C-alpha cells in the first residue's frame, strides 16, 4: 500500500535549481542538467507550482504566458515515487486557478499521445486543433 502523503502546493514556490533539474531528469528520462530554472522562470513565466511532501519537491509545473490572456502549461512532472496520487492533476488545477486570477483567459497545453487521458480526463482540457513545426 502506498504511504500517505501530505502535499503542499505552492504558487511561485521557492526551489533550488538542483531540485527541479533532478525532478525534470527523472520525469523526462535524461541526465541531470545544470539549467538555471530561476532565471528562466523569471524571464518567461507567469508562475510555477511546486508540490512538496515535507521538504521534498515531488511535483512541478511551469506556466509560461504571452503577457496578456494566454498561459501555457510546460514541464509538468511528478516524482516517480509520488505518481498515481493526483499530484499532477492538482499541479495543473493550481496553475489554472492562478492563471485565471492573473487575468488569463486561456490555458494551453501540448503533450504526447500517451498523456491524453491525464490532460483530457484528469485535468479537464478540451481537445482542439493546433499546429506544430519541429525546428530542429
Amino acid at each position: 500500500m502506498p504511504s500517505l502523503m501530505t502535499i503542499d502546493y505552492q504558487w511561485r514556490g521557492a526551489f533550488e535549481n538542483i531540485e527541479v533539474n533532478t525532478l525534470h531528469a527523472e520525469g523526462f528520462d535524461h541526465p541531470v542538467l545544470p539549467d538555471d530554472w530561476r532565471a528562466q522562470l523569471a524571464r518567461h513565466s507567469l508562475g510555477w507550482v511546486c508540490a512538496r511532501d515535507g521538504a521534498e519537491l515531488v511535483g512541478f509545473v511551469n506556466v509560461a504566458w504571452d503577457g496578456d490572456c494566454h498561459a501555457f502549461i510546460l514541464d509538468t512532472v511528478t516524482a516517480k515515487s509520488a505518481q498515481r496520487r493526483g499530484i499532477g492533476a492538482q499541479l495543473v488545477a493550481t496553475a489554472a486557478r492562478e492563471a485565471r486570477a492573473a487575468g488569463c483567459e486561456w490555458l494551453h497545453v501540448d503533450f504526447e499521445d500517451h498523456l491524453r487521458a491525464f490532460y483530457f480526463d484528469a485535468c479537464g482540457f478540451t481537445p482542439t486543433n493546433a499546429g506544430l513545426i519541429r525546428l530542429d
Side-chain angles (χ1 to χ4, degrees):
M1 173 183 285
S3 63
L4 295 177
M5 302 175 93
T6 303
I7 306 301
D8 180 33
Y9 298 89
Q10 304 164 346
W11 174 246
R12 299 180 67 94
F15 65 86
E16 297 297 326
N17 283 324
I18 189 63
E19 291 180 293
V20 178
N21 283 320
T22 301
L23 186 61
H24 198 274
E26 177 187 349
F28 293 99
D29 195 28
H30 62 76
V32 176
L33 302 173
D35 292 342
D36 187 347
W37 281 90
R38 288 181 180 189
Q40 178 180 323
L41 296 174
R43 282 191 311 270
H44 303 292
S45 296
L46 173 65
W48 56 91
V49 183
C50 294
R52 292 193 177 276
D53 180 19
E56 181 184 1
L57 184 68
V58 295
F60 178 84
V61 67
N62 179 12
V63 185
W65 72 324
D66 67 352
D68 190 22
C69 64
H70 294 268
F72 307 85
I73 294 291
L74 300 169
D75 300 306
T76 307
V77 62
T78 302
K80 288 182 181 174
S81 64
Q83 290 179 352
R84 307 268 184 246
R85 297 181 180 152
I87 293 169
Q90 188 59 47
L91 285 166
V92 173
T94 302
R97 183 182 68 243
E98 296 296 339
R100 184 179 301 110
C104 291
E105 298 173 24
W106 298 99
L107 184 61
H108 304 260
V109 67
D110 64 4
F111 50 84
E112 294 179 0
D113 280 343
H114 72 277
L115 295 171
R116 290 177 65 83
F118 171 70
Y119 283 108
F120 293 154
D121 300 337
C123 297
F125 282 88
T126 302
T128 64
N129 291 327
L132 180 66
I133 297 174
R134 186 175 185 112
L135 299 174
D136 62 351

